Amino acid sequence: MLDEFARIRLWTGERQRPALLREQGVVIGIGDDAAVVETPPDAAGGAAQWLLAVDTMVETVHFNDATMGDADVGWKALAANVSDIAAMGGVPRHALISVSVPKTWEPARVGRLYDGLYACADHYGVAIVGGDTTSSPAHMVVAVTVTGTVEAGAAISRAGAAPGDAVFVTGPVGMSGAGLHWLLAAAGRGDGQPVPLAAAEADGTAALVAAHRRPLPSVRAARLLASRGTVTSLNDVSDGLASEAWEIAAASGVTLALRESQLPYSGSMTAYAHRRGVDPLEWMLYGGEDYVLLGTIRPDDAEAARAALAAEGLPMYVIGHAEAGAAGVALIRDRGAGGSASRRDEIAKRGYNHFNG
Amino acid sequence: MLDEFARIRLWTGERQRPALLREQGVVIGIGDDAAVVETPPDAAGGAAQWLLAVDTMVETVHFNDATMGDADVGWKALAANVSDIAAMGGVPRHALISVSVPKTWEPARVGRLYDGLYACADHYGVAIVGGDTTSSPAHMVVAVTVTGTVEAGAAISRAGAAPGDAVFVTGPVGMSGAGLHWLLAAAGRGDGQPVPLAAAEADGTAALVAAHRRPLPSVRAARLLASRGTVTSLNDVSDGLASEAWEIAAASGVTLALRESQLPYSGSMTAYAHRRGVDPLEWMLYGGEDYVLLGTIRPDDAEAARAALAAEGLPMYVIGHAEAGAAGVALIRDRGAGGSASRRDEIAKRGYNHFNG
C-alpha cells in the first residue's frame, strides 16, 4: 500500500513535458516548500504584470457523482481558473492545486481527478507547480489557483464599459446549463455512477454534456481581443450571462441593453429546451458555467474584431450595446416578424449564488 | 439579510492599507476575475523570481471547534503559507483565499475567520488579492495560496545539504504539539467552544497554546539567512522535525545527525511534558506545526550567522551536522553527565500523515 507521499508523487511527479515547464519559466516545480518561477517572456517584450485567481469546486455543491466523472471535475476546476485569466486578457501560466479527499474515496479516484487536471493543463500549456492533498471527513473539495501574465497596463477589468460600446460574447451561452439539466434527469434513472457520454450521444445532447463537463475557456479569443486595445470591459460567463452583465454594468456605471434576436442560440440547446418545454432564455441568462467571454468594445472596432476572430476560426457575437444610465441590464425582444415595436424587459441580477442556491 | 456578494464585500473590501497594497505592487485587488500585480521592487535591485505555495486546513482534520477559534484558523492558514515562502528564503507578497463554509455556520464565524486572515496578512505585509467563498455541505475548508519573491537564483531548496554542513533551527520545536495536547485534554472537560486562553494562562501553558494557534513564521530569519549565500538547504517545520529532516536528507542525499543535547528545549514545553509523563522528544520530533526553519549551512559560517541573527533578536540553534551516507536522520544522545560514550538512534520518518493519521 502506497503512503500519502508516494501517492502524491505518483499523481503529480513528472506529469508534464520539460518543454512546457521551461516555457512557463518553472525553476523549481511541485515538491518543495514553494515553487520557483520566472516571469516568462512577454508577447510585447515588456515587463509583464501578473494575474492571480482562485476557484473552488465542492462535491454536492458544484457537482455530484452522476453529473461529473472525476477527471471531468479536475478539468473543470482548472478550466474555471484559466477562464478567469482569459477574462483579464491574459495568458494562463501556472496552477496550484489544493485537494481534500474523503477517506471513502479510492486512490484511483484521486488519480483520475489529477488526470483531468493535467489534461486541461496540457491543453492550455499551464504548468502545475504546487499542490496540497489533505484528507476530508466527508465530501471532496478542490481549490485551484492560477497565475497568468498580461502586458503591463493591458489587463481588462470590468469597469471600463462606456455608453455606445458594443456588447459581445465569444460563444453560445446556456449549453452548460442545458447539459446539467439533461444530466440531472438522466441521473435520476441511473445507478449513481457518472452518466455515460454514450447516453447523451444517443439522445443528441452530447455537445451540451461536453459543455458542462469539459468547458473550453476562450484564451485565444481573449488574447486577440486584448491586443486590439479597444475592448473596454471583459468578464467570463461563470455565473450566467445576466449576472456577468450586471457585474460589468455595476462596475462601469452603465446599462447593458442586450438584443434577444442577436443572442447566439445553440441549436442543440434550443432543440433540447423545446423538447423539455423550457424557455432557452432561462439557461442562456441564468445557467452559468459557459466560460465564454462577455465584454464591451468600442463600436467602431466591433466589426473588425469580429472579422479578426473569425479569421482564426473563433466566434464573436455582438449582442447589444452599452447605454448611459443607472447600472442595469435590459433585454430587448422583437414583438413579431412584422417589424412591429419591440419590448424591453429589465433583467434581474439573479445568478448562481451558493449561499441561497 | 445580506446576500453572499454583500457579505464577501464586507469580509474582504478595503480591509488593508493602501500603502501595503501599493508596496506589494497590487494594481487590481480582490473583486475582479483575477488580481493584477506587478513584480515589487527587489532587495537586490534585480529581476526577482516568484515563489508560489498552497496549504489547506480542514475542519476536524487540522483543527476542531475546541482547539482553535475561527480567527486562529484564519491566522494559521495564512501563516502556514507564509512559512513556506520563508522556507525558500523569500518575501511573502500576496495571498488568495478559498473558503468553503458549511450552511450551519453563522456569517459572523466567517467574519472572524477573515479577521484572523487579515491580522496575519497585516503582520507580514501580505496583500490579500483574491478569494472564492463557496458553501460546503459539512465541514469548513480553507485553502490559501501565497506568492513571494526572491532574488534570482537565491531560492533555497531542500536539495543542497552537503556532508560537513551544520544543521540549524530558528526556534524551539514541540511547543505547538504540546499546546495541542493541552487543548485536547482541556476540550474534553469543556463545552465544545474554543478553550479560552485564560485557562491556559492559569495553567502555565499559554505560550504552548499560542504556538499552536498563532504560529509566527521566521520570515526575517529566512531573509537574513538567505542574504548570506551560505545556507545550503531550508525547510519549515510544518510536519515535525523528524519528517522535515528526512526531506532534506532524502533530497540532498546525506544523513543528518542531530545532537539531543543541542536541541532547543522550550522550558514551558518541557515542564508540561514532565507533568503529563510525556517524553518531550516525542513532540519535538513528531509534533509538527512549529513553523520554525530547519536548514543546513556551511560550517565556517554557522557561528557568524548565529551572531547576525542574535543581533536582530532572532534565535538560531546549531543542532547537528550533515554526514555522507545513505539518506537518513540520526539522533545522538549523551549517556550521562560523565562524558561517557553517546548513543546513536536512527530516527524514523514518521510525521504528520493525513491519510494514515
Side-chain angles (χ1 to χ4, degrees):
Chain A
M1 190 74 169
L2 294 173
D3 75 1
E4 177 194 359
F5 298 108
R7 279 191 204 137
I8 291 173
R9 271 195 303 275
L10 192 69
W11 295 327
T12 62
E14 298 178 20
R15 291 285 300 256
Q16 296 194 292
R17 291 174 295 113
L20 184 159
L21 301 177
R22 204 162 44 237
E23 192 178 328
Q24 299 299 11
V26 178
V27 180
I28 297 180
I30 213 161
D32 214 307
D33 293 300
V36 182
V37 303
E38 296 180 308
T39 307
D42 192 70
Q49 291 178 330
W50 282 88
L51 304 168
L52 300 167
V54 61
D55 252 313
T56 313
M57 287 180 68
V58 181
E59 193 178 1
T60 73
V61 175
H62 298 88
F63 64 93
N64 63 38
D65 287 350
T67 63
M68 303 275 283
D70 299 320
D72 299 323
V73 174
W75 176 287
K76 193 165 176 173
L78 182 54
N81 283 281
V82 165
S83 186
D84 282 326
I85 299 300
M88 303 302 285
V91 182
R93 300 286 188 187
H94 312 107
L96 300 103
I97 314 294
S98 158
V99 190
S100 305
V101 185
K103 288 175 196 293
T104 52
W105 272 41
E106 291 294 312
R109 293 195 65 181
V110 190
R112 289 195 294 270
L113 181 81
Y114 273 101
D115 288 343
L117 283 161
Y118 277 102
C120 185
D122 288 345
H123 185 85
Y124 285 99
V126 168
I128 296 181
V129 296
D132 187 31
T133 306
T134 58
S135 69
S136 153
H139 54 279
M140 197 275 281
V141 179
V142 53
V144 177
T145 301
V146 289
T147 75
T149 54
V150 66
E151 294 74 17
I156 306 168
S157 81
R158 297 171 177 164
D165 286 351
V167 178
F168 65 86
V169 288
T170 60
V173 290
M175 292 180 73
S176 174
L180 177 61
H181 184 278
W182 184 88
L183 283 165
L184 290 172
R189 303 186 295 271
D191 55 1
Q193 294 294 304
V195 178
L197 196 60
E201 278 163 4
D203 203 33
T205 55
L208 307 179
V209 168
H212 184 72
R213 288 180 169 170
R214 299 274 175 147
L216 289 164
S218 303
V219 175
R220 282 175 59 220
R223 293 295 293 161
L224 285 168
L225 287 166
S227 72
R228 305 186 71 80
T230 54
V231 175
T232 52
S233 71
L234 202 59
N235 252 13
D236 70 317
V237 181
S238 49
D239 291 340
L241 190 62
S243 175
E244 305 295 341
W246 259 98
E247 285 194 344
I248 289 175
S252 302
V254 296
T255 297
L256 295 193
L258 312 182
R259 203 165 265 281
E260 185 194 10
S261 61
Q262 296 177 324
L263 293 179
Y265 280 76
S266 136
S268 55
M269 186 274 291
T270 308
Y272 178 66
H274 289 158
R275 271 169 55 197
R276 293 295 172 100
V278 174
D279 181 352
L281 269 180
E282 178 67 22
W283 291 328
M284 294 174 77
L285 291 174
Y286 301 114
E289 301 194 348
D290 293 303
Y291 300 111
V292 299
L293 298 172
L294 168 72
T296 54
I297 186 168
R298 277 192 231 138
D300 55 3
D301 195 44
E303 174 50 28
R306 194 203 58 72
L309 265 63
E312 299 285 324
L314 300 168
M316 170 176 164
Y317 306 92
V318 172
I319 61 170
H321 65 281
E323 297 174 351
V329 179
L331 185 68
I332 299 164
R333 304 186 189 217
D334 296 325
R335 284 277 186 184
S340 57
S342 60
R343 197 177 93 189
R344 183 179 169 115
D345 294 324
E346 299 306 312
I347 298 298
K349 191 180 158 87
R350 171 166 70 97
Y352 200 73
N353 186 319
H354 294 292
F355 279 90
N356 303 327
Chain B
M1 191 72 170
L2 294 173
D3 75 3
E4 177 196 1
F5 299 107
R7 279 190 204 137
I8 291 172
R9 273 195 302 274
L10 192 68
W11 295 327
T12 63
E14 299 180 17
R15 290 284 300 257
Q16 296 193 292
R17 290 173 297 110
L20 185 158
L21 301 178
R22 204 161 45 237
E23 191 179 329
Q24 298 299 12
V26 179
V27 181
I28 297 180
I30 214 162
D32 213 307
D33 293 300
V36 182
V37 303
E38 296 179 310
T39 307
D42 193 72
Q49 291 178 330
W50 283 89
L51 304 169
L52 300 167
V54 61
D55 252 313
T56 312
M57 287 181 67
V58 181
E59 194 177 1
T60 74
V61 175
H62 299 89
F63 64 94
N64 64 37
D65 286 352
T67 63
M68 303 276 282
D70 300 320
D72 299 323
V73 174
W75 176 286
K76 193 165 177 173
L78 182 53
N81 283 282
V82 165
S83 186
D84 282 326
I85 298 300
M88 303 301 287
V91 183
R93 300 285 186 187
H94 312 107
L96 300 102
I97 315 294
S98 158
V99 190
S100 303
V101 185
K103 288 174 195 295
T104 53
W105 272 41
E106 290 294 313
R109 294 195 64 180
V110 190
R112 289 196 295 270
L113 180 81
Y114 272 100
D115 288 345
L117 283 160
Y118 277 103
C120 185
D122 288 346
H123 184 85
Y124 286 98
V126 168
I128 296 181
V129 296
D132 187 32
T133 307
T134 57
S135 69
S136 152
H139 55 279
M140 197 274 281
V141 179
V142 53
V144 177
T145 302
V146 289
T147 76
T149 53
V150 67
E151 295 74 16
I156 306 168
S157 80
R158 296 169 179 166
D165 286 351
V167 178
F168 65 86
V169 288
T170 61
V173 289
M175 293 180 73
S176 174
L180 177 61
H181 184 278
W182 184 88
L183 282 165
L184 290 172
R189 303 186 295 271
D191 56 1
Q193 294 294 303
V195 178
L197 196 59
E201 278 162 3
D203 203 33
T205 55
L208 306 179
V209 168
H212 185 73
R213 288 181 170 169
R214 298 276 176 147
L216 288 164
S218 302
V219 174
R220 282 176 58 221
R223 294 295 292 161
L224 285 168
L225 288 166
S227 72
R228 304 186 71 81
T230 54
V231 176
T232 52
S233 71
L234 202 58
N235 251 13
D236 68 317
V237 182
S238 49
D239 291 340
L241 190 61
S243 174
E244 305 296 341
W246 260 98
E247 285 194 344
I248 288 175
S252 301
V254 295
T255 297
L256 295 192
L258 312 182
R259 203 165 265 281
E260 185 193 11
S261 61
Q262 295 178 325
L263 293 178
Y265 281 76
S266 138
S268 55
M269 187 274 292
T270 308
Y272 178 65
H274 290 157
R275 270 169 57 197
R276 293 295 173 102
V278 173
D279 181 352
L281 270 180
E282 178 68 20
W283 293 327
M284 294 174 77
L285 292 174
Y286 303 112
E289 302 195 347
D290 293 303
Y291 300 112
V292 299
L293 298 172
L294 168 72
T296 54
I297 187 168
R298 278 193 230 138
D300 55 1
D301 195 44
E303 174 50 28
R306 194 204 57 74
L309 263 64
E312 299 285 325
L314 300 169
M316 171 176 163
Y317 307 92
V318 172
I319 60 170
H321 64 281
E323 297 173 350
V329 180
L331 185 68
I332 300 164
R333 303 187 189 216
D334 298 325
R335 285 274 187 185
S340 57
S342 61
R343 196 176 94 191
R344 183 180 169 115
D345 295 324
E346 299 305 311
I347 298 298
K349 191 180 158 83
R350 171 165 71 98
Y352 199 74
N353 186 321
H354 294 292
F355 278 90
N356 303 328

